[in-house]
């Protein structure tokens, strides 16, 4: 019976990267960090090095034909992870330019071996590794002695028990190159510019001995360095949990009579879509939802993609934010991804232990995403709703609709089926004036009102009136005896789901 070898995994110090790697970086592994110029390879290498290097576990950073160490450090020290006290104490920089310019990979290898032998580092970085290769490349021998060089370097580093990183500029992962085969790990960085947005993505193409998260993962380079946005984990709800949600107390909306229309309030853990044209009161209803939660001792989170909370009637939300009862996700970046939005939302939910979340609005959310993510906006919305539902919060989302007075739709994205409940706000014309009406169209697995009620907005917020069936209303300037549900005829049935 053989004993399984345990591989120690190192925490990289890069937020989100350990999760993408499947638990961290395998110790003593031989890794390649590859990608086009400017995508963040050197920053990623430095961030990991400063996080991992200690006097007991020192690092050597070899620079080849790229920028000299002093120039490189001048820019890298702008990041928060940079620690000047670690330089020359636990981190040593070595310039291999003269050795690489000779065009002899054997000389480069010998210099690396000499430095490693003398200083016995636990971490070795070679940047840019490809520069040494190109210096030795000829038409007759396009890879030079690369395969032999890489194999020898890998054997040396493994025998010395060093975790090694080769940093190289490669434009395509389809390049035929022996280093791809020899390396234990292959971290590929990409970047693309679309209009005024820069989208950076990372893929773990290979990491021997562990299961990594597949696919492309967006990341951002900020003052603290690189932050990777791993896909949010969706918890599988058991039948017992689902049953508990069905019998849980309902959430009050903060608008008189609306809870009765919903059948006693919104079931806790549900997602609610509030759809309506501009100015119909969607954000005011969302503010009332958060304010009612605060009154009941609950905390909330609002993702503001449209109006800032200090504007107009959202002053209510601004006061809740200032008091710490509501957290704010208000990123003004023009290149957000769904993973980054969920990362920010779940961070605030966890920090405040929030039970209520508002997304205001889906229209602004779509515009906040980078163009490449707008193409799959329905998928992004599905992931948003599913992830927040698994977090156990009650979600209210607003959706802007065109001002079509004779048409009723719920969402311009065809995503109404994803939500558990729908409230529609719309305008009707009565005596040459626009009046607001509201209806509860759907509450999943629950009885609800099918009334169409007029409402007004004043300093106190939304005030629901009597059902239109109890009024002698005028639709389009002409008397009508139609009951309220008939006003929705031809578009969608109003009833229970």
């Amino acid at each position: 019976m053989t004993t399984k070898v345990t591989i120690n995994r190192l925490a990289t110090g890069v937020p989100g990267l350990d999760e993408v790697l499947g638990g961290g970086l395998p110790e003593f592994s031989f890794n390649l960090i590859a990608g086009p110029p400017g995508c963040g390879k050197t920053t990623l290498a430095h961030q990991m090095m400063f996080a991992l290097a200690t006097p007991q576990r020192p690092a050597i950073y070899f620079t080849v034909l790229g920028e000299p160490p002093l120039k490189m450090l001048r820019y890298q020290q702008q990041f928060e992870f940079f620690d000047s006290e670690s330089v020359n104490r636990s981190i040593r920089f070595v310039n291999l330019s003269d050795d690489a310019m000779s065009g002899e990979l054997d000389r480069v290898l010998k210099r690396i071996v000499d430095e490693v032998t003398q200083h016995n580092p636990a971490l070795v970085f070679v940047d840019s590794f490809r520069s040494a290769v190109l210096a030795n490349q000829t038409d007759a021998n396009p890879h030079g002695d690369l395969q032999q060089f890489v194999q020898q370097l890998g054997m040396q580093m493994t025998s010395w028990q060093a975790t090694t990183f080769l940093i190289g500029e490669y434009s395509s992962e389809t390049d035929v190159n022996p280093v791809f085969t020899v390396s234990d790990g292959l971290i590929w960085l990409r970047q693309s510019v679309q209009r005024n947005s820069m989208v950076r993505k990372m893929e773990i193409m290979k990491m021997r001995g562990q299961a990594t998260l597949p696919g492309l993962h967006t990341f951002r380079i900020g003052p603290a360095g690189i932050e990777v946005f791993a896909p949010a984990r969706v918890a599988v709800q058991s039948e017992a949990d689902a049953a508990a949600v069905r019998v849980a107390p309902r959430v009050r909306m903060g608008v008189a009579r609306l809870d009765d229309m919903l059948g006693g309030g919104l079931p806790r853990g549900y997602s609610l879509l509030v759809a309506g044209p501009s100015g119909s009161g969607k954000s005011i209803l969302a503010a009332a939802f958060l304010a009612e939660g605060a009154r009941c001792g609950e905390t909330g989170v609002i993702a503001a993609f449209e109006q800032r909370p200090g504007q107009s009637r959202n002053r209510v939300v601004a006061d809740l934010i200032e008091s710490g009862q509501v957290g704010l996700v208000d990123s003004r970046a023009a290149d957000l991804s769904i993973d980054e939005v969920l990362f920010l939302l779940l961070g605030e939910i966890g920090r405040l232990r929030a039970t209520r979340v508002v997304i205001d609005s889906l229209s602004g959310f779509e515009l906040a995403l980078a163009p490449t993510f707008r193409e799959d906006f329905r998928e992004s919305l599905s992931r948003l709703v599913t992830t927040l539902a698994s977090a156990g919060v009650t979600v209210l989302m607003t959706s802007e609709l065109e001002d079509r007075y004779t048409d009723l739709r719920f969402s311009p994205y065809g995503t109404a089926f994803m939500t558990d409940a729908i409230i529609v706000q719309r305008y009707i014309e009565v005596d040459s004036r626009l009046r607001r009406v509201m209806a509860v169209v759907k509450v999943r697995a629950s009885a609800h009102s099918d009334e169409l009620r007029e409402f007004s907005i004043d300093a106190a917020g939304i005030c629901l009136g009597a059902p239109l069936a109890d009024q002698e209303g005028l639709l389009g300037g002409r008397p009508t005896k139609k009951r309220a549900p008939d006003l929705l005829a031809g578009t969608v049935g109003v009833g229970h789901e």
Side-chain angles (χ1 to χ4, degrees):
M1 181 177 179
T2 60
T3 303
K4 182 186 295 185
V5 175
T6 300
I7 297 178
N8 184 36
R9 292 183 173 88
L10 305 175
T12 62
V14 180
L17 180 56
D18 292 344
E19 185 177 354
V20 171
L21 288 171
L25 191 75
E27 192 174 22
F28 311 140
S29 57
F30 192 72
N31 306 284
L32 175 64
I33 301 175
C39 64
K41 301 182 300 298
T42 298
T43 300
L44 177 62
H46 275 79
Q47 190 169 349
M48 289 192 291
M49 178 175 65
F50 277 97
L52 291 169
T54 64
Q56 296 74 32
R57 187 173 56 195
I60 292 184
Y61 198 99
F62 293 100
T63 60
V64 191
L65 292 180
E67 51 195 355
L70 288 178
K71 180 181 178 182
M72 178 176 58
L73 291 176
R74 177 186 178 189
Y75 291 104
Q76 289 298 313
Q77 67 181 333
Q78 307 304 315
F79 291 108
E80 294 174 7
F81 62 74
F82 188 90
D83 180 12
S84 58
E85 295 184 359
S86 296
V87 179
N88 295 328
R89 182 167 63 94
S90 55
I91 296 174
R92 175 180 173 82
F93 288 88
V94 177
N95 193 342
L96 298 179
S97 296
D98 293 340
D99 303 279
M101 288 295 290
S102 68
E104 299 177 6
L105 286 178
D106 289 342
R107 179 175 169 180
V108 175
L109 179 61
K110 183 179 183 304
R111 179 70 187 284
I112 293 175
V113 170
D114 290 344
E115 292 288 343
V116 172
T117 302
Q118 181 179 354
H119 298 283
N120 192 29
L123 304 161
V124 175
F125 298 80
V126 183
D127 184 10
S128 159
F129 160 73
R130 199 181 187 198
S131 299
V133 175
L134 294 176
N136 192 61
Q137 184 175 298
T138 64
D139 293 338
N141 188 15
H143 292 301
D145 298 322
L146 175 60
Q147 186 165 2
Q148 181 181 357
F149 172 80
V150 171
Q151 288 176 340
Q152 290 180 349
L153 180 61
M155 289 175 59
Q156 293 280 5
M157 296 303 111
T158 302
S159 64
W160 277 316
Q161 293 191 330
T163 306
T164 308
F165 301 86
L166 308 182
I167 296 94
E169 293 183 357
Y170 292 91
S171 59
S172 173
E173 64 270 28
T174 60
D175 290 346
V176 178
N177 201 303
V179 71
F180 296 168
T181 304
V182 176
S183 63
D184 300 314
L186 178 52
I187 302 175
W188 205 282
L189 307 185
R190 297 175 172 85
Q191 65 181 5
S192 61
V193 178
Q194 295 185 339
R195 299 179 184 173
N196 293 326
S197 66
M198 167 72 79
V199 178
R200 291 186 170 95
K201 299 180 181 180
M202 174 185 298
E203 181 180 9
I204 311 301
M205 299 190 66
K206 178 168 79 168
M207 192 60 64
R208 287 192 175 119
Q210 61 192 54
T212 61
L213 293 184
L216 298 173
H217 310 286
T218 57
F219 68 94
R220 186 178 295 278
I221 302 177
I226 286 177
E227 186 169 21
V228 183
F229 304 107
R233 296 186 180 274
V234 177
V236 179
Q237 190 179 49
S238 65
E239 183 59 34
D241 291 336
V245 170
R246 287 193 290 268
V247 300
R250 298 205 174 201
V251 170
R252 301 187 65 83
M253 297 296 298
V255 176
R257 299 181 179 177
L258 180 55
D259 291 329
D260 293 336
M261 293 179 67
L262 289 165
L266 183 67
R268 187 172 297 276
Y270 268 33
S271 57
L272 168 65
L273 176 66
V274 179
S278 177
S280 60
K282 302 182 298 296
S283 296
I284 297 175
L285 178 56
F289 173 73
L290 291 173
E292 180 66 15
R295 192 185 69 80
C296 297
E298 299 180 54
T299 53
V301 174
I302 180 170
F305 296 107
E306 202 164 279
Q307 288 187 3
R308 300 183 70 88
Q311 294 176 337
S312 187
R313 299 184 188 276
N314 274 340
R315 186 63 219 174
V316 173
V317 179
D319 292 340
L320 293 173
I321 294 172
E322 291 176 6
S323 66
Q325 295 170 291
V326 170
L328 173 64
V329 173
D330 187 24
S331 177
R332 293 295 160 178
D335 52 1
L336 290 173
S337 68
I338 180 61
D339 290 321
E340 184 172 358
V341 171
L342 284 171
F343 174 83
L344 296 172
L345 277 170
L346 294 175
E348 283 295 287
I349 291 171
R351 182 179 70 85
L352 294 173
R353 297 184 179 180
T355 57
R356 299 189 182 210
V357 173
V358 165
I359 309 294
D360 188 23
S361 68
L362 295 184
S363 310
F365 174 42
E366 181 185 23
L367 293 176
L369 294 177
T372 185
F373 299 114
R374 295 177 200 165
E375 299 172 2
D376 301 319
F377 188 59
R378 291 185 68 192
E379 179 184 349
S380 295
L381 278 182
S382 177
R383 289 179 57 193
L384 178 73
V385 172
T386 303
T387 303
L388 292 178
S390 71
V393 296
T394 306
V395 184
L396 185 153
M397 301 177 290
T398 67
S399 177
E400 183 80 11
L401 296 180
E402 296 179 20
D403 297 34
R404 297 182 178 181
Y405 307 141
T406 59
D407 184 21
L408 178 65
R409 296 179 304 146
F410 305 137
S411 169
Y413 315 108
T415 54
F417 70 93
M418 300 177 187
T419 59
D420 301 306
I422 299 174
I423 292 176
V424 171
Q425 298 171 341
R426 61 178 301 194
Y427 294 111
I428 61 172
E429 182 185 348
V430 178
D431 291 333
S432 299
R433 297 178 62 185
L434 290 179
R435 296 166 71 172
R436 298 180 179 94
V437 294
M438 181 186 299
V440 176
V441 177
K442 164 185 170 183
V443 180
R444 198 186 302 276
S446 173
H448 60 87
S449 170
D450 60 2
E451 298 170 337
L452 193 66
R453 287 178 177 264
E454 183 179 359
F455 69 95
S456 60
I457 299 175
D458 58 22
I462 291 178
C463 301
L464 272 174
L468 291 189
D470 298 338
Q471 305 177 21
E472 281 200 20
L474 294 176
L475 182 62
R478 294 175 298 171
T480 176
K481 298 298 184 181
K482 291 183 178 180
R483 293 182 58 81
D486 295 332
L487 298 177
L488 307 180
T491 53
V492 68
V494 179
H496 312 319
E497 182 170 311

